Amino acid sequence: MTDQALNLTTAPTRARRFKMFHIAEMRVLDARVKVHVVNLSSSGLMLRSDAPPAVGTVAIFDLGAAERRGRVVWCDTDRCGVQFMVPLTDAELDALMAPSAASTSPARSAFDRLASRFSTTA
């Protein structure tokens, strides 16, 4: 096997990421904080928060259809990236990305309430 072929077979692959806007709960020690999940993959997530945790922080993320422990691997102003200690399964990822999960999220409910205020009836 050539060196080039070896590099192609051993290079890590990046997990497919899904854009979303999902309110989740992050638990660090005894503190519980609501965060906005901006994108999600089987290996981790990106979140937005007014007070993101520091790099290296380990937290538990309650995503609704799944719960995972993860470590903050990068932070930039109000965003940070989290790597799960145990990846999400395909079934968990499917459940989190299902339209029914999005329609029952607190963010979706708030959007629906706001949209109903501005809807026009003929």
Side-chain angles (χ1 to χ4, degrees):
M1 185 180 294
T2 67
D3 287 340
Q4 186 177 13
L6 180 63
N7 288 339
L8 290 175
T9 59
T10 60
T13 57
R14 185 173 182 178
R16 188 167 161 217
R17 298 194 180 281
F18 298 93
K19 289 183 181 182
M20 64 185 325
F21 182 82
H22 180 77
I23 296 175
E25 183 178 75
M26 177 180 70
R27 297 190 312 260
V28 180
L29 300 175
D30 290 332
R32 295 172 182 264
V33 179
K34 296 289 184 199
V35 296
H36 296 108
V37 178
V38 178
N39 72 38
L40 180 70
S41 74
S42 60
S43 62
L45 58 84
M46 183 176 79
L47 65 85
R48 286 189 180 268
S49 173
D50 291 336
V55 171
T57 300
V58 174
I60 296 172
F61 296 86
D62 183 352
L63 304 169
E67 184 176 277
R68 281 295 182 277
R69 181 179 305 268
R71 178 180 314 278
V72 176
V73 293
W74 63 267
C75 257
D76 182 26
T77 59
D78 66 340
R79 299 178 308 144
C80 64
V82 174
Q83 182 177 16
F84 295 139
M85 305 229 176
V86 175
L88 291 170
T89 65
D90 288 341
E92 289 170 322
L93 196 54
D94 289 345
L96 286 164
M97 297 311 301
S100 62
S103 65
T104 59
S105 76
R108 187 72 196 157
S109 298
F111 175 80
D112 290 342
R113 285 193 306 274
L114 183 61
S116 68
R117 280 199 216 157
F118 295 101
S119 66
T120 57
T121 54

